[in-house]
Amino acid sequence: MSEAIETWPGRPYPLGAFYDGAGTNFSLFSEMADRVELCLFRDDGGEERVSLDEVDAFCWHAYLPAVPPGQRYGYRVHGPWAPERGQRCNPAKLLLDPYAKAIEGQVRWDQACFPYNFGDENSRNDDDSASFMPKSVVHNPYFDWGNDRPPDISRGESVIYEVHVKGFTIRHPGIPEALRGSYSGLAHPAAIEYLTKLGITAVELLPVHQFVHDPHLVERGLRNYWGYNSIGFLAPHNEYAAFGQRGEQVAEFKAMVRVLHEAGIEVILDVVYNHTAEGNHLGPVLSMKGIDNAAYYRLADDPRFYYDTTGTGNSLNVRHPHTLQLIMDSLRYWVTEMHVDGFRFDLAASLARQFHEVDRLSAFFDLIQQDPVVSQVKLIAEPWDIGEGGYQVGNFPALWSEWNGRYRDTMREFWREEPATLGEFASRLTGSSDLYQADTRHPGASVNFVTAHDGFTLRDLVSYNSKHNEANGENNADGTPDNRSWNCGAEGDTDDEAVLALRRRQQRNFLTTLLVSQGITMLLGGDEIGRTQHGNNNGYCQDNEISWYDWEHLDTDLLEFTRRLIALRREHPVLRRRRWFQGRSIRGGLDIGWFKPDGAEMGDDDWDAGSPLAVGIFLNGDAIADRDRRGQRVTDGSFLLLFNAQDHLIDWTLPKQWGQWWELVIETASSDRPGEKAEGSATLRVGSRSVVILRRSDAPD
């Protein structure tokens, strides 16, 4: 023990470094350790070590009264080195605290960061890694939240904007250069004004947990842009901080949340609890691998290797109570201390693998269900992983919403006129009751999306038949080939005005379909301004102009169209019902009706796979089975939605039984007829590959 540092016994909980205003309590879990050293780093790079001699329930702890916020630290864990038994302790490796609330720096890749000597994976490397490692930081937990309150927007009313903190802000002309790429940039008035005018209700931030840039990317001059490579589940990523990394990033993140809440915008985090940046047996030793490898990671039958359902080299061991505790402590921390409003769980099926099969009643979901904090926020699953039986759309518990991959695929097929059945289209448009109704979930269980960060942007979806990922340096072998895209007649950039006009219309078709679908809407950030990645459908490593928003060349017409659509959805509850359609008479009228271009109602035979991809829908605003928060019955206007995915125009007969007069609200093929009125039983021309929305109205003057 260092003689220069006063040390008290301290407490085993809370885990991590907790500053109480007078000093800091340190506690680290390791069931495998024989001895744990706390390493304190001076500004000159010098290191002082303090032996943690107190151990309670495998938590090694001490209280240091002289340690203030800003102190950099790490751990060295002494214990067995026996890879054949899954034990990988080596005190030569400086380890990040899994409970660190702040982290300074990034890994500087060197042989010392790895447990073996390059060229001999069965060897043991004893080089000291401290000078190449980022450092955990003691932070000041005190922050003035003022009157901050969560916006508390219901799931069905949510319009989620999937956005990257850096990508959105790094080239925004209204954000000062010093704040671009940062949490403060996203909280800047120029960003807030844009988001509020767009009309979204929540930002879903791509990973902001502290993450690592993979060594193979760094070698190629690339970076992990998306951030799905976490190493600190309680620390906001330090590279998005404008004002420092010695704990300032924590206060900066909190200030961003406070500003977004003031604007009525919720903050949802995309979180990665299924794996860490330490990879497989050939990966580095950065934190948990050196603390207690077998507790934190799922090991294969041969414990030298890792069980991997994520494609990243390892999977977190959610069967172990301390690993579950880490995940739950992290989730509660982000809700209670950072005031976030929900989470989207990356590869959530991996968390459900208590043993081998995906188990919807695994310990993780049981803990979520009974937790008084986490169970009350928005919980969104990416309901698949790469393991056997990993595609679990529709199978998550009742509290959860899910990214609806079947919605995405169906809508893409419909608008490229593939022979998908109308029945599938109808089910996805009305909330996917076939997936979610049986277990008492409501339409808000379905997160509807056409595009997401992983895959083509909307503009690229209608501009490319094939992926073009050459810039990733993997010979275009990365990224999915299953894009269900259509380039509208030319691959990539073109001067053909007919092709460009069709692409613009297709983008409007996708956006319109998305915004009138029942469930939660998720819009990929940048789709509303025509953002392109030039055919790259796997921009995970492109921290550059390929991925960043191009504010100089935004599509202003598409932006205004998207604003109109979002406003229409938010103004009309019939487009975002809380309960399922019944398709039968309610309070004297159908809540929904389906009809063909000749005005006749759809019959059983009309839903066959060979049916033309054209369908009309009547939404009855007088037959909504919902009540508002004060118990009042919800009523709204009534709408006709006309979808024509065919390559020729249709003379559509409006059904007279549901309204005498209809006013044109949205038309994706033209902007020449807004406000035009048509009489029930009249014929309305609906352009090829287009959508028309009409609202029931009074007779014209």
Side-chain angles (χ1 to χ4, degrees), residues 28-253:
L28 178 77
F29 160 77
S30 177
E31 192 172 348
M32 195 56 54
D34 297 329
R35 179 170 163 241
V36 172
E37 289 179 300
L38 169 68
C39 305
L40 304 177
F41 291 89
R42 300 189 300 270
D43 289 343
D44 65 5
E47 175 185 347
E48 296 184 74
R49 302 185 187 182
V50 177
S51 181
L52 303 186
D53 297 327
E54 300 289 335
V55 188
D56 291 288
F58 304 112
C59 295
W60 304 72
H61 56 90
Y63 181 89
L64 278 60
V67 170
Q71 174 65 58
R72 298 178 302 155
Y73 72 98
Y75 290 104
R76 297 182 187 274
V77 174
H78 300 254
W81 170 265
E84 69 279 4
R85 298 198 301 269
Q87 299 165 342
R88 295 180 175 270
C89 297
N90 185 344
K93 309 305 177 185
L94 185 77
L95 305 173
L96 290 169
D97 182 358
Y99 277 80
K101 308 300 195 305
I103 294 172
E104 181 189 50
Q106 275 283 336
V107 179
R108 293 191 304 113
W109 292 111
D110 183 85
Q111 166 82 76
C113 300
F114 293 81
Y116 59 93
N117 298 307
F118 292 160
D120 182 4
E121 64 182 70
N122 296 315
S123 62
R124 167 173 160 151
N125 177 275
D126 288 319
D127 295 341
D128 194 315
S129 67
S131 60
F132 304 100
M133 282 289 294
K135 307 300 187 291
S136 305
V137 178
V138 177
H139 88 294
N140 189 336
Y142 304 106
F143 181 80
D144 183 6
W145 281 102
N147 295 319
D148 183 67
R149 295 289 185 276
D152 193 24
I153 297 164
S154 69
R155 290 194 292 177
E157 294 176 345
S158 296
V159 179
I160 296 173
Y161 188 71
E162 191 193 28
V163 64
H164 191 285
V165 170
K166 182 176 182 179
F168 180 89
T169 61
I170 192 66
R171 294 198 292 177
H172 195 295
I175 298 174
E177 281 194 38
L179 301 182
R180 293 179 186 174
S182 72
Y183 304 119
S184 294
L186 192 58
H188 188 271
I192 297 299
E193 180 184 14
Y194 178 86
L195 295 172
T196 53
K197 286 183 68 175
L198 183 58
I200 54 93
T201 67
V203 289
E204 182 175 298
L205 305 181
L206 266 72
V208 295
H209 288 172
Q210 186 68 37
F211 62 85
V212 171
H213 299 288
D214 316 60
H216 71 276
L217 294 179
V218 175
E219 288 175 3
R220 300 205 303 267
L222 300 171
R223 288 159 55 85
N224 191 315
Y225 174 68
W226 287 349
Y228 291 95
N229 204 30
S230 300
I231 199 61
F233 294 144
L234 289 88
H237 187 63
N238 55 31
E239 293 179 306
Y240 300 153
F243 298 111
Q245 299 186 11
R246 293 283 186 93
E248 294 91 348
Q249 62 265 52
V250 180
E252 187 175 337
F253 184 93

Side-chain angles (χ1 to χ4, degrees), residues 639-660:
F639 289 83
L640 295 179
L641 314 177
L642 312 180
F643 294 90
N644 178 20
Q646 300 174 107
D647 63 355
H648 57 84
L649 59 82
I650 296 175
D651 288 326
W652 207 304
T653 301
L654 301 183
K656 62 182 178 181
Q657 67 268 35
W658 291 319
Q660 288 296 313

Side-chain angles (χ1 to χ4, degrees), residues 629-697:
R629 294 192 178 189
R630 296 187 175 184
Q632 301 299 308
R633 178 188 162 200
V634 175
T635 59
D636 193 13
S638 297
F639 289 83
L640 295 179
L641 314 177
L642 312 180
F643 294 90
N644 178 20
Q646 300 174 107
D647 63 355
H648 57 84
L649 59 82
I650 296 175
D651 288 326
W652 207 304
T653 301
L654 301 183
K656 62 182 178 181
Q657 67 268 35
W658 291 319
Q660 288 296 313
W661 289 96
W662 298 91
E663 179 182 357
L664 196 147
V665 178
I666 294 287
E667 185 177 20
T668 63
S670 170
S671 58
D672 298 334
R673 301 190 292 180
E676 178 180 310
K677 291 192 176 183
E679 191 172 3
S681 74
T683 298
L684 186 71
R685 180 151 291 188
V686 176
S688 64
R689 295 194 173 91
S690 69
V691 185
V692 171
I693 300 178
L694 304 107
R695 180 171 52 214
R696 192 161 60 192
S697 72

